[in-house]
Amino acid sequence: MTLRARLFLVVFSSLLPACGVGLCIRDSICSSSVVNRLVFTGTSHPSSSLFERFFNETDSWVLTGECDPTLGSVTIGGDLTAPKEAVCEPAAGGTFSVPVAYSEFETIKHTYGRKSVTIAQTGIEALSTYLYQSNSGFTVSEVSEPAQLQAMVTGNPNHLYVLTDDIDLAQVSATNNWTPLINFQGVIEGNGHQIQNLHISSGAVEVGFLTSAYDATSVTGSIQNLEFTNVDVTATAGIAGALVGLFAPGALNPHLQISNVHIQGEVSATAQAGGFIGWDLSTVSLLTLHDISFTGNVSGGSAAGGIFGE
């Protein structure tokens, strides 16, 4: 009986793959098994502080990570205008370090805010992280609660607001929990978060999360990577848009970029009503819209549409 047990163990062990070839049953059996080393390190890692991943036009970001030197170079992609290659150095088992310049990022969607960066090697699924592009003259503020959102300064085009959490406006009140920001001039980086339960019912002429004062300095800047859920915006005597009530550029002809913004809810007005913008008064193309959607109902007394009322 003892002899048979020994023979079984000998035969079983002969069927195992050699260390470093194929898969192993346990790490303790094959200590030299291949490990997937492709990963971001340091402040390039997605778990690092958001404010450690900001850079501006005066410097370059140095992207760092670990890689598998047997698989060749690391391809850097994402929101870069063109992919670039980084050498996987065999030191310490495989590392890479490559500068990414401010000018290498695309600006079609938006100039400032969150930028995706990916790394890939042959046979390994790509990984991604986010860097945050700013400007040396910008003030950057974190927004994580309703009071901070409502307190965003409307007249400063050099202010970048970054959401660091979902914001539920129902914490303020179930109804009329938002005062529209008039002539906002800055960048709102939603960072993939939600603004929930926005509710406005107003007799003002222009109603929305943001709006322009008629024939004055308009809403301008950029709004991106943001989702609005359970929106309820009503203009009882005028124009309504869930995002922008009235876009009236005036003499300054400012430009507004809206990218990767998705809205769900209800919009109604006695005049024009739009899922995004109630009334666009620009005479030339001063709006850039990219990857946006509205889901819900829109009703207007004179005009209505899922994106624009008019």
Side-chain angles (χ1 to χ4, degrees), residues 169-244:
L169 294 176
Q171 295 176 357
V172 177
S173 172
T175 59
N176 281 321
N177 52 32
W178 183 256
T179 301
L181 299 178
I182 299 175
N183 298 335
F184 178 85
Q185 301 174 26
V187 180
I188 300 174
E189 171 55 71
N191 206 26
H193 291 294
Q194 293 183 348
I195 294 175
Q196 304 162 348
N197 300 307
L198 169 70
H199 185 278
I200 309 169
S201 179
S202 173
V205 176
E206 309 96 6
V207 180
F209 178 71
L210 310 174
T211 193
S212 302
Y214 189 72
D215 285 338
T217 303
S218 180
V219 174
T220 183
S222 181
I223 306 163
Q224 63 236 11
N225 304 317
L226 182 59
E227 184 178 356
F228 290 82
T229 60
N230 198 30
V231 166
D232 188 346
V233 176
T234 301
T236 60
I239 304 158
L243 186 62
V244 180

Side-chain angles (χ1 to χ4, degrees), residues 11-194:
V11 173
F12 181 73
S13 65
S14 68
L15 296 176
L16 292 174
C19 291
V21 180
L23 298 174
C24 297
I25 302 299
R26 296 177 185 171
D27 291 341
S28 59
I29 296 176
C30 281
S31 59
S32 61
S33 57
V34 176
V35 177
N36 179 357
R37 288 182 53 86
L38 187 62
V39 65
F40 293 100
T41 58
T43 53
S44 296
H45 196 277
S47 66
S48 64
S49 167
L50 182 149
F51 287 96
E52 289 182 327
R53 287 179 274 150
F54 270 90
F55 70 108
N56 59 44
E57 79 284 2
T58 65
D59 53 26
S60 296
W61 182 270
V62 179
L63 195 70
T64 61
E66 297 179 352
C67 49
D68 186 339
T70 67
L71 299 179
S73 62
V74 179
T75 301
I76 314 297
D79 286 334
L80 298 181
T81 53
K84 60 189 303 182
E85 300 294 316
V87 176
C88 182
E89 301 288 354
T95 59
F96 68 89
S97 175
V98 59
V100 181
Y102 188 87
S103 59
E104 290 183 86
F105 286 95
E106 58 84 21
T107 59
I108 296 174
K109 300 175 188 176
H110 53 266
T111 303
Y112 304 112
R114 190 177 77 175
K115 302 290 185 178
S116 171
V117 179
T118 62
I119 54 174
Q121 281 189 291
T122 303
I124 298 179
E125 185 176 355
L127 301 177
S128 64
T129 191
Y130 290 117
L131 304 180
Y132 295 83
Q133 195 163 344
S134 184
N135 183 286
S136 57
F138 273 25
T139 299
V140 179
S141 296
E142 175 182 331
V143 179
S144 61
E145 56 187 43
Q148 293 173 328
L149 191 68
Q150 186 68 79
M152 291 190 299
V153 178
T154 58
N156 184 359
N158 298 322
H159 208 133
L160 170 59
Y161 295 94
V162 182
L163 270 66
T164 57
D165 204 350
D166 294 341
I167 297 177
D168 185 359
L169 294 176
Q171 295 176 357
V172 177
S173 172
T175 59
N176 281 321
N177 52 32
W178 183 256
T179 301
L181 299 178
I182 299 175
N183 298 335
F184 178 85
Q185 301 174 26
V187 180
I188 300 174
E189 171 55 71
N191 206 26
H193 291 294
Q194 293 183 348

